[in-house]
Amino acid sequence: MKTVLIVFCTVFMIGLISSNAAIYDDFNDNSLDLSKWEVETDAEATINEVGGRIELSILPAASGDEFGAGIESTLMFTGDFDIQVDFSLVSWPDDHGVRSSLEVGSDSGEVFIERSASSPLGYFPERYYMGGDGLLPGSVSTSDDSGMLRIQRLGDVITGYYFDTDAGWQVISTYRNDEVGFDAGESLSLSLHVWSHTSPPFFNPGGQPVIVAFDNVSRTGTDVPPGKATLISPSGT
């Protein structure tokens, strides 16, 4: 009887945990859902939902101070949250200088995790990198060509992780709300990006496109009804 009770409780708890990690988008219909996402793209960059995932690309001819492609959630949230996404480096030449990222932001601040390429001039290696405006960054060298990124907020603490297939979730860095610039009650959005720049000469893909695929975006948090978003300006007014 004890064994049956333990099994029942375990299954029940697993059900509770799974129900909290709601899939925001699994990109499985070959057409980006514009009720969930706003598109941000520059010339020589593309966004395609194909093969059950979203592919963000930067073409070899891209140039400028900063350029790239991304999607930002139209449905906003607040409170404690847990955001996770799968990534895969579909076309990833050596030393090309592109960063692919999961970001959480508002009008008052942002925090992000990047899977970054090494740069042509050796400024930084292949790595996971977490930071934001004015934040002391954290980084971990890696050779992963696929994996998972995660940003979680519990109370006043925001933590970024990458997934290690042997050791599970590994912390990259941790910040407080006031360090990031978040007000506890303001509305937040999530976004996925690829970006780079050519000044100094970071972007050098060797004539090949850089393509990163994202899939299975999941998010917890308190949903903010459309038209009810509470944003705090950078000046705090």
Side-chain angles (χ1 to χ4, degrees):
M1 188 66 180
K2 289 181 179 179
T3 302
V4 174
L5 179 60
I6 291 170
V7 171
F8 172 78
C9 290
T10 302
V11 172
F12 178 71
M13 288 304 296
I14 290 173
L16 286 179
I17 293 168
S18 299
S19 67
N20 287 335
I23 292 291
Y24 183 79
D25 202 338
D26 57 9
F27 305 112
N28 65 353
D29 59 5
N30 293 322
S31 179
L32 185 63
D33 187 344
L34 296 181
S35 70
K36 293 182 177 180
W37 300 104
E38 179 181 348
V39 173
E40 305 166 344
T41 186
D42 296 318
E44 306 299 335
T46 64
I47 298 173
N48 293 293
E49 183 173 319
V50 60
R53 62 191 186 183
I54 191 78
E55 294 187 353
L56 309 183
S57 308
I58 301 180
L59 305 180
S63 64
D65 291 336
E66 187 173 312
F67 49 83
I71 54 175
E72 180 178 359
S73 66
T74 58
L75 305 179
M76 306 188 79
F77 55 95
T78 189
D80 289 350
F81 61 78
D82 192 338
I83 300 168
Q84 302 176 27
V85 65
D86 302 340
F87 76 88
S88 178
L89 309 180
V90 179
S91 177
W92 197 254
D94 293 335
D95 303 327
H96 55 76
V98 169
R99 297 96 177 274
S100 58
S101 65
L102 166 65
E103 180 179 321
V104 178
S106 69
D107 277 1
S108 61
E110 65 176 8
V111 63
F112 57 78
I113 299 174
E114 295 178 343
R115 171 58 175 93
S116 300
S118 54
S119 68
L121 300 182
Y123 289 117
F124 47 82
E126 298 270 334
R127 61 184 177 170
Y128 293 109
Y129 178 91
M130 183 176 185
D133 291 341
L135 296 177
L136 182 67
S139 67
V140 178
S141 296
T142 187
S143 59
D144 294 347
D145 57 13
S146 63
M148 298 172 66
L149 306 176
R150 178 184 185 187
I151 302 176
Q152 180 186 58
R153 179 167 73 179
L154 292 174
D156 190 46
V157 179
I158 300 167
T159 306
Y161 306 84
Y162 70 94
F163 190 79
D164 183 281
T165 54
D166 294 320
W169 289 111
Q170 302 295 299
V171 173
I172 305 171
S173 194
T174 298
Y175 306 107
R176 297 188 313 273
N177 279 322
D178 59 352
E179 292 179 298
V180 175
F182 290 162
D183 177 86
E186 72 179 313
S187 301
L188 305 170
S189 64
L190 71 92
S191 56
L192 306 171
H193 291 279
V194 295
W195 69 279
S196 191
H197 49 87
T198 53
S199 179
F202 284 149
F203 183 64
N204 184 18
Q208 303 177 60
V210 176
I211 306 172
V212 179
F214 292 100
D215 199 5
N216 298 320
V217 179
S218 66
R219 173 181 67 75
T220 67
T222 302
D223 293 336
V224 177
K228 299 294 186 180
T230 301
L231 303 179
I232 309 298
S233 71
S235 64
T237 59

